[in-house]
Amino acid sequence: MTLSEGARAGTRKLEMLDSLLALGGLVLLRDSVEWEGRSLLKALVKKSALCGEQVHILGCEVSEEEFREGFDSDINNRLVYHDFFRDPLNWSKTGEALPGGPLGALRAMCKRTDLGPVTIALDSLSWLLLHLPCATLCQTLHAVSYQDSCPPGDGSPVGKVHVLGLLHEELHGPGPMGALSSLAQTEVTLGGTMGQASARILCRRPQQHPTDQTQWFSILPDFSLHLQEGPSKEFQPQSDPHIPLVDPMAHLTFNLHLSKKEREARDSLTLPFQFSSEKQEALLRPRPSQATSHIFYEPDAYDDLDQEDPDDDLDI
Amino acid sequence: MFPELNNLLNTTPDRAEQGKLTLLCDAKTDGSFLVHHFLSFYLKANCKVCFVALIQSFSHYNIVGQKLGVNLTMARERGQLVFLEGLKSAVDVFFQAQEKPHPLQFLREASAGNLKPLFEFVRDALKPVDSGAAGWTYPVLLVDDLSVLLSLGLGAVAVLDFIHYCRATLCWELKGNVVVLVHDSGDVEDEENDILLNGLSHQSHLILRAEGLATGFCRDVHGQLRILWRRPSQSTSQRDQSLTYQYKIQDRSVSFFAKGMSPAVL
């Protein structure tokens, strides 16, 4: 990598996570079984925590220990974890479960009193979508994400709210996916090829065209992001590198190529059934009398020449 | 258990990983040999096993288990194995009065039920006994299979919730393992089954997928096994690994070989 490319990569390194967190509002992280998205979610949570934001985690799918694993202690101290993994449906009836369930916790975040910037990570939005009616969830997400659009009366600035939602693509039909998509300011679809992960980032900035770019990346064990160039050009799927291109006309016993003269002769040839003006003239012009054609017949030695006319008995 | 499969999974009964959810699925073939493998594997690892067997009878698993070197009757008698025989006990829901809800209570309910009674049965079967005399290593839940619960009228979310609670209690709290089998409907469009399969795939640490060969039935190669390791606990830089092998099921063992390397064709 040249010096300029390295500098550009260095600035790009900050850009991807920054661009995802720049807009505020809902950021959808769409992952699949093959390309999981929790590590990107944790990378964004780490970035928000390092920026000094307050971070709330609604943990429904993995245990708190598993989510906090990999973060060092100063980041862990900034994370407020709402545990809905142990007993989300209140089956144990011990009274330890948080009242109102995940929806109650999400609604409580709408009524927060301190107005600094805050990041809410939903792990996962798929869990919420499977257990709550889609309309209720969308209304609550809208209320949480757009808090900063209604500032309080005293004119103090309201900090940005980032809602990061991890969504498992295969679990939901096009209706709910479309509804969440329309709510989201930024949509990241995870994919990849040849062992390298990629993120397709769709940003909807207000009063601007939506931007669509694909970024190749990998996530390091400490959940920092490392941008990559993408798989090298040789491995593009257009041409299969394992099958070398062979000229099929190389080892023939006959000649398929035409020389220049032969090509010219071929191009100037008139096809027999092509009705050109010359042909029309030739047919219309009366032919000069030619000698009548002769038929030369040599009877074979064993030929049986019958002088009798076989048509004699016909009465013509 | 099949020693060759242990080699492929890089595990033995002595040093198996704990706190993991293993998903077995089969598509266009019968993946029950994987269930027999894990049943005998965990019994040999001296684990306390709760087997929710909804498909076959106890004697069926016992006969196959004896070929693999475990005696289910003795394991049940000494308390190592808790066996819920779905086929027999489903009838008890209707004909026997019970004080507390039967594990398969959802069969009686007209509307969509949940699997809370079944979870409580599993939890009570596997929670560590205070006397501590038995000394089993860690608890294991085995379910054969989850797709039949969908056919019996439960929704995919109810089954996912049951597995969620099993994971929370067995994998996280008790550091045990959960192994479940789900059928992949494949071409037949079954939305509920797809939600169940994909939802479990996202939560699993190890996915073993037995598939029939794309070209059809073969005498020497019975199918193909795809192994996918997900969510490595140590470092996230290690990408999920995936391996594919073909297999042939014999009377007492299963032999695995790389694609195209069956002894029959070499």
Side-chain angles (χ1 to χ4, degrees):
Chain A
M1 213 196 293
T2 64
L3 202 60
S4 56
E5 282 175 17
R8 267 185 279 134
T11 50
R12 280 215 314 273
K13 189 172 175 171
L14 297 172
E15 274 178 20
M16 177 170 159
L17 290 181
D18 281 333
S19 67
L20 291 177
L21 295 172
L23 281 184
L26 177 62
V27 178
L28 277 186
L29 301 175
R30 298 165 59 147
D31 73 347
S32 55
V33 174
E34 217 189 317
W35 300 99
E36 58 90 27
R38 188 165 286 115
S39 32
L40 182 59
L41 178 69
K42 285 172 81 164
L44 286 168
V45 161
K46 176 179 170 175
K47 184 87 178 35
S48 297
L50 288 176
C51 288
E53 293 190 12
Q54 203 187 45
V55 183
H56 291 264
I57 321 266
L58 238 73
C60 310
E61 272 193 4
V62 295
S63 64
E64 187 172 350
E65 280 106 356
E66 194 178 328
F67 194 89
R68 287 183 184 272
E69 198 182 322
F71 290 142
D72 42 5
S73 53
D74 54 343
I75 295 179
N76 266 324
N77 290 336
R78 296 188 150 276
L79 301 185
V80 179
Y81 198 88
H82 305 260
D83 188 1
F84 292 103
F85 171 71
R86 251 191 306 169
D87 192 4
L89 306 173
N90 206 18
W91 279 4
S92 64
K93 289 199 168 38
T94 54
E96 279 176 12
L98 302 167
L103 187 61
L106 205 50
R107 283 186 172 145
M109 290 182 204
C110 298
K111 306 183 186 65
R112 62 199 180 104
T113 46
D114 74 86
L115 302 170
V118 69
T119 296
I120 303 168
L122 303 173
D123 179 12
S124 65
L125 193 47
S126 280
W127 194 96
L128 294 173
L129 196 52
L130 286 177
H131 289 84
L132 300 170
C134 182
T136 313
L137 180 62
C138 287
Q139 284 166 357
T140 314
L141 281 177
H142 183 93
V144 172
S145 320
Y146 292 96
Q147 286 176 61
D148 49 354
S149 58
C150 359
D154 59 357
S156 55
V158 182
K160 262 199 193 138
V161 178
H162 299 106
V163 181
L164 311 171
L166 181 63
L167 198 59
H168 306 307
E169 281 192 310
E170 308 102 328
L171 296 183
H172 310 290
M177 294 291 283
L180 286 173
S181 204
S182 62
L183 268 183
Q185 296 283 82
T186 313
E187 247 181 272
V188 183
T189 307
L190 288 149
T193 180
M194 316 267 315
Q196 270 200 317
S198 72
R200 186 178 162 211
I201 304 170
L202 191 64
C203 266
R204 291 191 194 93
R205 292 193 166 79
Q207 294 157 9
Q208 282 181 33
H209 279 297
T211 58
D212 184 352
Q213 49 164 329
T214 301
Q215 201 73 269
W216 298 88
F217 69 98
S218 67
I219 298 192
L220 304 173
D222 65 347
F223 294 104
S224 51
L225 201 78
H226 174 63
L227 287 181
Q228 287 169 332
E229 286 297 321
S232 47
K233 290 278 183 290
E234 302 138 30
F235 294 104
Q236 289 304 323
Q238 288 106 336
S239 62
D240 191 339
H242 300 295
I243 301 176
L245 291 171
V246 171
D247 182 14
M249 298 201 282
H251 303 292
L252 294 172
T253 54
F254 48 90
N255 181 27
L256 275 181
H257 298 283
L258 292 174
S259 72
K260 192 160 171 260
K261 262 175 82 175
E262 289 168 335
R263 206 180 293 273
E264 281 170 8
R266 186 185 74 169
D267 288 338
S268 58
L269 185 66
T270 341
L271 294 174
F273 301 105
Q274 204 169 344
F275 196 66
S276 62
S277 54
E278 290 95 2
K279 228 178 183 163
Q280 192 181 17
E281 290 295 311
L283 285 172
L284 291 175
R285 207 182 305 129
R287 245 202 234 161
S289 60
Q290 291 169 352
T292 54
S293 44
H294 286 279
I295 296 176
F296 297 96
Y297 174 59
E298 290 278 350
D300 293 328
Y302 50 81
D303 223 349
D304 177 22
L305 284 172
D306 195 352
Q307 296 299 340
E308 236 181 52
D309 186 358
D311 293 326
D312 236 355
D313 54 347
L314 290 174
D315 193 12
I316 302 172
Chain B
M1 63 173 190
F2 308 123
E4 284 192 41
L5 185 53
N6 284 342
N7 291 338
L8 293 183
L9 297 175
N10 200 20
T11 177
T12 61
D14 317 319
R15 48 178 192 88
E17 287 188 315
Q18 289 179 244
K20 303 289 178 200
L21 169 65
T22 302
L23 174 66
L24 312 173
C25 63
D26 56 12
K28 292 187 184 162
T29 188
D30 183 15
S32 53
F33 70 97
L34 295 169
V35 175
H36 296 296
H37 163 82
F38 281 102
L39 177 60
S40 53
F41 179 91
Y42 284 117
L43 284 174
K44 285 191 181 171
N46 213 24
C47 299
K48 180 134 193 224
V49 178
C50 176
F51 190 5
V52 176
L54 303 170
I55 299 296
Q56 301 279 8
S57 64
F58 178 80
S59 49
H60 170 88
Y61 293 105
N62 199 16
I63 292 169
V64 180
Q66 277 170 2
K67 290 188 189 175
L68 299 182
V70 287
N71 189 329
L72 296 192
T73 318
M74 274 183 46
R76 191 161 63 167
E77 277 166 18
R78 62 172 184 256
Q80 188 188 10
L81 174 66
V82 177
F83 196 96
L84 176 66
E85 191 169 348
L87 293 171
K88 243 180 30 175
S89 68
V91 187
D92 294 340
V93 178
F94 299 94
F95 294 123
Q96 272 188 24
Q98 307 254 327
E99 320 80 40
K100 55 176 202 170
H102 190 276
L104 302 179
Q105 188 65 29
F106 67 91
L107 293 171
R108 278 217 87 146
E109 286 159 24
S111 59
N114 65 22
L115 285 168
K116 186 167 166 221
L118 184 59
F119 163 69
E120 284 169 352
F121 170 82
V122 169
R123 185 194 58 199
D124 295 338
L126 289 178
K127 70 178 177 213
V129 181
D130 287 332
S131 57
W136 310 118
T137 44
Y138 49 89
V140 173
L141 169 67
L142 200 57
V143 184
D144 180 18
D145 61 49
L146 288 179
S147 298
V148 76
L149 293 173
L150 296 179
S151 310
L152 289 171
L154 285 167
V157 180
V159 183
L160 283 174
D161 287 339
F162 165 68
I163 296 294
H164 178 108
Y165 269 88
C166 291
R167 257 196 324 135
T169 308
L170 297 176
C171 294
W172 174 69
E173 204 180 308
L174 300 175
K175 304 283 180 283
N177 288 340
V178 177
V179 181
V180 296
L181 174 68
V182 179
H183 296 299
D184 188 356
S185 47
D187 298 333
V188 175
E189 281 205 21
D190 188 344
E191 275 182 29
E192 292 277 299
N193 200 46
D194 287 341
I195 292 176
L196 177 62
L197 185 60
N198 288 322
L200 285 177
S201 302
H202 276 281
Q203 298 173 17
S204 309
H205 299 92
L206 174 65
I207 304 179
L208 295 178
R209 193 183 157 88
E211 300 167 340
L213 295 176
T215 43
F217 187 70
C218 171
R219 194 184 55 183
D220 295 304
V221 178
H222 291 150
Q224 183 167 287
L225 184 71
R226 287 218 305 215
I227 308 173
L228 177 64
W229 281 275
R230 294 186 81 250
R231 297 168 60 186
S233 49
Q234 289 83 16
S235 65
T236 47
S237 61
Q238 189 186 0
R239 272 270 37 123
D240 301 338
Q241 277 185 290
S242 168
L243 294 173
T244 308
Y245 293 93
Q246 291 179 338
Y247 62 86
K248 178 177 179 180
I249 302 179
Q250 286 141 353
D251 184 41
R252 285 172 187 269
S253 67
V254 176
S255 58
F256 292 88
F257 34 86
K259 278 206 243 190
M261 306 286 276
S262 160
V265 294
L266 286 176

